[in-house]
PDB file of all heavy atoms in Angstrom:
ATOM      1  N   LEU F 329       1.197 -11.888  57.652  1.00 98.00           N
ATOM      2  CA  LEU F 329       0.677 -12.443  58.919  1.00 98.00           C
ATOM      3  C   LEU F 329       0.312 -13.915  58.743  1.00 98.00           C
ATOM      4  O   LEU F 329       0.580 -14.741  59.603  1.00 98.00           O
ATOM      5  CB  LEU F 329      -0.582 -11.683  59.353  1.00 98.00           C
ATOM      6  CG  LEU F 329      -0.422 -10.315  59.999  1.00 98.00           C
ATOM      7  CD1 LEU F 329      -1.804  -9.688  60.189  1.00 98.00           C
ATOM      8  CD2 LEU F 329       0.299 -10.407  61.342  1.00 98.00           C
ATOM      9  N   LEU F 330      -0.310 -14.196  57.601  1.00 97.00           N
ATOM     10  CA  LEU F 330      -0.894 -15.510  57.349  1.00 97.00           C
ATOM     11  C   LEU F 330       0.138 -16.570  56.985  1.00 97.00           C
ATOM     12  O   LEU F 330       0.144 -17.681  57.521  1.00 97.00           O
ATOM     13  CB  LEU F 330      -1.865 -15.333  56.172  1.00 97.00           C
ATOM     14  CG  LEU F 330      -3.103 -16.133  56.075  1.00 97.00           C
ATOM     15  CD1 LEU F 330      -3.982 -15.901  57.284  1.00 97.00           C
ATOM     16  CD2 LEU F 330      -3.862 -15.708  54.791  1.00 97.00           C
ATOM     17  N   GLY F 331       1.026 -16.271  56.031  1.00 98.00           N
ATOM     18  CA  GLY F 331       2.023 -17.220  55.537  1.00 98.00           C
ATOM     19  C   GLY F 331       1.398 -18.351  54.738  1.00 98.00           C
ATOM     20  O   GLY F 331       0.258 -18.253  54.272  1.00 98.00           O
ATOM     21  N   GLY F 332       2.151 -19.432  54.546  1.00 98.00           N
ATOM     22  CA  GLY F 332       1.683 -20.565  53.759  1.00 98.00           C
ATOM     23  C   GLY F 332       1.584 -20.199  52.288  1.00 98.00           C
ATOM     24  O   GLY F 332       2.439 -19.499  51.731  1.00 98.00           O
ATOM     25  N   SER F 333       0.505 -20.660  51.662  1.00 98.00           N
ATOM     26  CA  SER F 333       0.181 -20.248  50.296  1.00 98.00           C
ATOM     27  C   SER F 333      -1.221 -19.652  50.368  1.00 98.00           C
ATOM     28  O   SER F 333      -2.087 -20.198  51.055  1.00 98.00           O
ATOM     29  CB  SER F 333       0.184 -21.442  49.336  1.00 98.00           C
ATOM     30  OG  SER F 333       1.477 -21.999  49.280  1.00 98.00           O
ATOM     31  N   ALA F 334      -1.430 -18.556  49.693  1.00 98.00           N
ATOM     32  CA  ALA F 334      -2.727 -17.890  49.810  1.00 98.00           C
ATOM     33  C   ALA F 334      -3.017 -17.106  48.541  1.00 98.00           C
ATOM     34  O   ALA F 334      -2.098 -16.674  47.836  1.00 98.00           O
ATOM     35  CB  ALA F 334      -2.743 -16.942  51.003  1.00 98.00           C
ATOM     36  N   ARG F 335      -4.304 -16.950  48.267  1.00 98.00           N
ATOM     37  CA  ARG F 335      -4.718 -16.115  47.143  1.00 98.00           C
ATOM     38  C   ARG F 335      -4.959 -14.700  47.657  1.00 98.00           C
ATOM     39  O   ARG F 335      -5.498 -14.520  48.766  1.00 98.00           O
ATOM     40  CB  ARG F 335      -6.004 -16.667  46.550  1.00 98.00           C
ATOM     41  CG  ARG F 335      -6.395 -15.995  45.254  1.00 98.00           C
ATOM     42  CD  ARG F 335      -7.570 -16.698  44.658  1.00 98.00           C
ATOM     43  NE  ARG F 335      -7.822 -16.258  43.289  1.00 98.00           N
ATOM     44  CZ  ARG F 335      -8.776 -16.771  42.536  1.00 98.00           C
ATOM     45  NH1 ARG F 335      -9.537 -17.737  43.014  1.00 98.00           N
ATOM     46  NH2 ARG F 335      -8.969 -16.336  41.306  1.00 98.00           N
ATOM     47  N   GLY F 336      -4.582 -13.709  46.890  1.00 98.00           N
ATOM     48  CA  GLY F 336      -4.812 -12.315  47.259  1.00 98.00           C
ATOM     49  C   GLY F 336      -5.631 -11.622  46.187  1.00 98.00           C
ATOM     50  O   GLY F 336      -5.248 -11.627  45.018  1.00 98.00           O
ATOM     51  N   LEU F 337      -6.764 -11.049  46.575  1.00 98.00           N
ATOM     52  CA  LEU F 337      -7.595 -10.292  45.634  1.00 98.00           C
ATOM     53  C   LEU F 337      -7.638  -8.830  46.083  1.00 98.00           C
ATOM     54  O   LEU F 337      -6.958  -8.454  47.030  1.00 98.00           O
ATOM     55  CB  LEU F 337      -9.001 -10.906  45.575  1.00 98.00           C
ATOM     56  CG  LEU F 337      -9.052 -12.353  45.033  1.00 98.00           C
ATOM     57  CD1 LEU F 337     -10.462 -12.935  45.174  1.00 98.00           C
ATOM     58  CD2 LEU F 337      -8.594 -12.432  43.582  1.00 98.00           C
ATOM     59  N   GLY F 338      -8.469  -8.024  45.408  1.00 96.00           N
ATOM     60  CA  GLY F 338      -8.478  -6.586  45.717  1.00 96.00           C
ATOM     61  C   GLY F 338      -7.168  -6.002  45.218  1.00 96.00           C
ATOM     62  O   GLY F 338      -6.787  -6.172  44.063  1.00 96.00           O
ATOM     63  N   ARG F 339      -6.409  -5.333  46.107  1.00 94.00           N
ATOM     64  CA  ARG F 339      -5.047  -4.937  45.726  1.00 94.00           C
ATOM     65  C   ARG F 339      -4.036  -5.902  46.351  1.00 94.00           C
ATOM     66  O   ARG F 339      -2.877  -5.562  46.556  1.00 94.00           O
ATOM     67  CB  ARG F 339      -4.771  -3.475  46.092  1.00 94.00           C
ATOM     68  CG  ARG F 339      -5.133  -3.127  47.516  1.00 94.00           C
ATOM     69  CD  ARG F 339      -4.964  -1.645  47.843  1.00 94.00           C
ATOM     70  NE  ARG F 339      -5.569  -1.349  49.116  1.00 94.00           N
ATOM     71  CZ  ARG F 339      -4.982  -1.557  50.293  1.00 94.00           C
ATOM     72  NH1 ARG F 339      -3.772  -2.050  50.375  1.00 94.00           N
ATOM     73  NH2 ARG F 339      -5.622  -1.264  51.417  1.00 94.00           N
ATOM     74  N   GLY F 340      -4.509  -7.107  46.678  1.00 96.00           N
ATOM     75  CA  GLY F 340      -3.653  -8.156  47.236  1.00 96.00           C
ATOM     76  C   GLY F 340      -3.918  -8.374  48.714  1.00 96.00           C
ATOM     77  O   GLY F 340      -3.415  -9.318  49.323  1.00 96.00           O
TER      78      GLY F 340
END
Side-chain angles (χ1 to χ4, degrees):
L329 282 173
L330 213 59
S333 297
R335 189 173 191 177
L337 296 173
R339 50 185 169 82

